[in-house]
Amino acid sequence: MPLNLAVIGIDYIVQKTCGNEAERHHLESLSFVEGASVCILSAFFGYYVVRIKDSKIGIGKDLAKMIIVQAE
């Protein structure tokens, strides 16, 4: 499922990233790679604060839709 549909506070595993080459490269530079553990910490007005590899990152709904995750 896309990250924007994930439940807040639950750990997920990144399965793949979608989008064009530049968008996938941008997500990879933010540590969204296959096998990484990700958790949504908070969400409001289409923006998400996520924890990935012991870092907190803020992303928008458009980027969250490109990250496909699966429950651990």
Side-chain angles (χ1 to χ4, degrees), residues 1-8 12 40 48 61 64-65 67 69:
M1 82 175 110
L3 185 61
N4 65 316
L5 299 178
V7 179
I8 295 172
Y12 293 91
I40 297 178
Y48 301 89
K61 188 175 187 178
K65 287 180 180 180
I67 303 165
V69 297

Side-chain angles (χ1 to χ4, degrees), residues 39-53:
C39 176
I40 297 178
L41 300 176
S42 66
F44 59 92
F45 300 115
Y47 293 95
Y48 301 89
V49 176
V50 299
R51 183 188 71 234
I52 185 157
K53 293 187 177 180

